[in-house]
């Protein structure tokens, strides 16, 4: 645990050095434990255990501190109103509910997810969402009453839903219900495994994910490409809004910086290379170079498996794929290796001749069933058992196959023993990446906070426009019908010019990076002052308008 404690940053340091609110902080480290500094309003039973928090900013003295940790394994979303219902009469509850609903809460960025630490592959595969379905899923999520923006990151090791929620508590409940309905996993079971983060903790988590610090193989590079796919697939999707798009683009920047400015990815292994190493471990040493190899799937994962097989000395293999194009491209890249293409219809014929079978397709249903595998002829006596290395989620090899005496099945959750040997060294390298991540977190949070002034700008302009239009109508009615079109236009332009010039100063004070070079703190102070002066009630009214519009749309 000592090495992992470097991933939990001192709360006092964050508050004082970064000016960031760290309440409700939830952190995963790469040994599988996690810490939550609880400020949650949910009523969940808690278990406590100690942890060590450590700061490791460059140039600062390391400081250790032990505090109790709160762990909430259950999921019970309880409204603040509901928790007081027993002590209020129905009339009092009715009077206070409308005010409490939007004054107690504001919009939040949240992530609700599962990963290889919290959830076994048997459940992860049910919750997995293919990349082709991400846009449709975003639209469905944003159709919920309290979800304004959404993004989905679904890989073999995680399925995470990022949202901008108009109401924190209601948003959590809606997303969990949606996940349960889509996957068929009961909410009670889902909530035993899911993790939940809010606001700045979401930013930190995503930046760690993009940097490879939250991966099964610490420092692996494939996850950065998968984060890029989130941005690419979200282009043009209405629910992939400004905050989601901005956060994921900042995460890509953080991931690139960590890989170029630290040595964490030097010699790092991916899930594919770990799968090849696992096969090498499980095969008898004398049989490794002579074992017959079959790779099912020639996509990104399949190509990586082939690449690492070649690096380990494999000179001949059979590749089964739906089409020959990808296999031909791989053969061009590895001209010194004998790669034989076979179609999917020949898969079982090829499997009968293979000692080691790697499966890495995007199939929703298992390709190898127990009834099929038990009919395959036995492998050579020196091999012992036919090995299935299944790195697909959903799995390509059904679980009952492992009951057969003639087969041994390994999935992505079995790769941990392979990467454990190099983890300690990578944990040391990961401390260098933390400073970079915090720099990028601060930049994103400043950018996100600056967006808070946008509703005020819109409200203030709308407020001024209502006054201008009203006074213009009064003026035109007094002037009668003898006013020419050119005169009307001149009067209209005069009213617009006056409003624009009066608003110019306040608008400049609401924009970060304006001519006055104001800080974010000054800009937000100006925003709150204008809200009070003109009684704009921006945040509350924006939330009310958005939620009311969603409810009316869904009722049609």
């Amino acid at each position: 645990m000592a090495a992992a404690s470097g991933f939990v940053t001192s709360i006092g340091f964050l508050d004082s050095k970064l000016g960031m609110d760290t309440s409700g902080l939830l952190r995963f480290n790469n040994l599988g434990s996690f810490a939550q500094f609880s400020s949650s309003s949910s009523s969940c039973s808690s278990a406590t255990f100690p942890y060590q928090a450590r700061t490791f900013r460059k140039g600062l003295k390391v400081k250790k501190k032990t505090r109790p940790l709160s762990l909430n394994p259950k999921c019970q979303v309880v409204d603040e109103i509901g928790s007081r219902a027993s002590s209020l009469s129905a009339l009092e509850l009715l009077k206070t509910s409308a005010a409490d609903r939007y004054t107690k809460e504001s919009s939040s960025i949240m992530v609700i997810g599962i990963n290889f630490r919290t959830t076994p592959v048997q459940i992860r595969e049910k919750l997995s969402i293919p990349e082709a379905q991400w846009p449709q899923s975003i639209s469905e999520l944003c159709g919920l009453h309290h979800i304004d923006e959404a993004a989905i990151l679904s890989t073999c090791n995680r399925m995470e839903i990022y949202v901008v929620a108009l109401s924190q508590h209601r948003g959590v409940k809606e997303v969990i219900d949606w996940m349960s309905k889509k996957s068929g996993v009961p909410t009670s079971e889902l909530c035993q495994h899911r993790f939940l983060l809010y606001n700045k903790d979401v930013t930190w988590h995503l930046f760690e994910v993009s940097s490879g610090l939250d991966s099964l193989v610490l420092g692996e590079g494939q996850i950065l490409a998968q984060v890029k796919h989130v941005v690419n697939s979200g282009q043009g999707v209405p629910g992939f809004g400004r905050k989601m798009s901005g956060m994921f683009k900042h995460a890509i920047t953080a991931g690139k910086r960590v890989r170029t400015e630290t040595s964490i990815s030097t010699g790092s292994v991916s899930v594919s290379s770990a799968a090849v190493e696992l096969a090498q471990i499980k095969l008898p040493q004398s049989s490794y170079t002579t074992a017959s190899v079959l790779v099912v799937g020639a996509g990104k994962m399949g190509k990586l498996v082939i690449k690492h097989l070649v690096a380990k000395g494999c000179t001949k293999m059979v590749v089964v794929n739906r089409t020959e194009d990808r296999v031909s491209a791989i053969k061009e890249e590895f001209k010194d290796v004998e790669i034989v293409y076979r179609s999917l219809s020949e898969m079982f014929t090829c499997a009968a001749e293979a000692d080691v079978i790697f499966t890495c397709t995007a199939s929703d249903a298992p390709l190898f069933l127990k009834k099929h595998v038990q009919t395959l002829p036995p492998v050579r006596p020196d091999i012992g058992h036919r090995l299935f290395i299944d790195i697909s989620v959903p799995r390509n090899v059904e679980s009952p196959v492992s009951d057969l005496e003639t087969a041994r099945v390994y999935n992505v959750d079995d790769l941990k023993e392979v990467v454990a040997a190099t983890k300690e060294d990578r944990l040391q390298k990961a401390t260098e990446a933390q400073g970079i991540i915090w720099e990028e977190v601060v930049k994103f949070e400043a950018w996100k906070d600056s967006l808070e002034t946008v509703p005020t700008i819109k409200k203030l302009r709308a407020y001024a426009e209502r006054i201008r239009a009203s006074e213009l109508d009064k003026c035109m009615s007094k002037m009668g019908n003898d006013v020419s079109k050119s005169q009307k236009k001149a009067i209209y332009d005069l009213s617009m010019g006056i409003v624009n010039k009066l608003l110019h100063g306040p608008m400049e004070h609401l924009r970060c990076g304006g001519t006055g070079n104001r800080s974010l703190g000054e800009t937000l102070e100006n925003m709150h002052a204008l809200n009070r002066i003109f009684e704009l009630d921006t945040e509350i009214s924006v939330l009310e308008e958005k939620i009311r519009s969603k409810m009316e749309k869904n009722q049609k």
Side-chain angles (χ1 to χ4, degrees), residues 347-510:
M347 182 177 69
F348 289 108
T349 303
C350 297
E353 301 172 355
D355 302 316
V356 183
I357 301 173
F358 294 90
T359 59
C360 34
T361 79
S363 174
D364 292 333
L367 301 178
F368 290 93
L369 305 179
K370 181 179 180 180
K371 63 181 180 180
H372 298 144
V373 176
Q374 64 186 3
T375 64
L376 297 177
V379 297
R380 303 191 325 249
D382 60 314
I383 298 291
H385 306 89
R386 180 172 280 107
L387 298 184
F388 288 87
I389 313 294
D390 185 5
I391 56 174
S392 302
V393 176
R395 288 172 293 175
N396 290 166
V397 182
E398 73 167 353
S399 183
V401 173
S402 60
D403 297 333
L404 298 174
E405 287 294 329
T406 57
R408 294 290 182 270
V409 181
Y410 302 94
N411 56 50
V412 289
D413 286 354
D414 297 310
L415 302 180
K416 296 175 183 178
E417 63 177 285
V418 177
V419 301
T422 60
K423 179 168 285 187
E424 289 300 320
D425 179 57
R426 297 184 190 284
L427 285 174
Q428 294 298 322
K429 294 177 181 178
T431 58
E432 303 173 26
Q434 300 293 325
I436 295 173
I437 290 177
W438 272 121
E439 289 175 11
E440 294 301 324
V441 167
V442 172
K443 289 179 183 177
F444 170 74
E445 290 298 327
W447 174 83
K448 179 171 66 71
D449 288 343
S450 70
L451 298 180
E452 290 186 20
T453 65
V454 173
T456 297
I457 290 173
K458 292 180 178 179
K459 285 285 183 177
L460 182 58
R461 180 163 288 282
Y463 174 81
E465 173 60 22
R466 287 194 299 271
I467 295 175
R468 185 202 65 79
S470 175
E471 294 303 313
L472 179 63
D473 288 344
K474 290 179 183 178
C475 175
M476 298 303 294
S477 64
K478 290 179 181 179
M479 296 181 70
N481 298 324
D482 297 331
V483 183
S484 65
K485 289 185 177 180
S486 60
Q487 290 174 324
K488 288 181 179 180
K489 184 178 184 303
I491 296 171
Y492 172 82
D493 291 343
L494 174 65
S495 66
M496 289 295 297
I498 292 173
V499 168
N500 288 337
K501 288 187 182 300
L502 286 174
L503 289 179
H504 177 74
M507 292 299 184
E508 282 299 304
H509 281 76
L510 289 177

Side-chain angles (χ1 to χ4, degrees), residues 32-47:
S33 61
F34 61 95
Q36 180 182 13
F37 300 91
S38 178
S39 63
S40 174
S41 59
S42 61
S43 59
C44 300
S45 61
S46 300

Side-chain angles (χ1 to χ4, degrees), residues 7 20 94 120 122 126 136 205 220 237 277 326 337 390 404 409 428 431 480 502:
F7 291 94
M20 299 171 69
L94 181 64
Q122 293 90 333
K126 295 178 182 177
Q136 176 61 31
H205 171 72
E220 63 105 351
V237 180
E277 288 187 29
R326 288 183 174 178
V337 180
D390 185 5
L404 298 174
V409 181
Q428 294 298 322
T431 58
L502 286 174

Side-chain angles (χ1 to χ4, degrees), residues 446-457 460 505-532:
W447 174 83
K448 179 171 66 71
D449 288 343
S450 70
L451 298 180
E452 290 186 20
T453 65
V454 173
T456 297
I457 290 173
L460 182 58
M507 292 299 184
E508 282 299 304
H509 281 76
L510 289 177
R511 295 188 178 99
C512 289
T515 56
N517 293 320
R518 281 166 290 278
S519 67
L520 176 63
E522 291 175 301
T523 302
L524 294 180
E525 285 181 9
N526 294 334
M527 179 191 75
H528 294 309
L530 287 170
N531 282 335
R532 290 193 303 271

Side-chain angles (χ1 to χ4, degrees), residues 532-549:
R532 290 193 303 271
I533 292 170
F534 294 100
E535 298 181 346
L536 299 178
D537 295 327
T538 306
E539 183 66 16
I540 297 172
S541 57
V542 168
L543 293 179
E544 287 177 330
E545 289 174 4
K546 285 185 176 180
I547 296 174
R548 186 181 297 112
S549 174

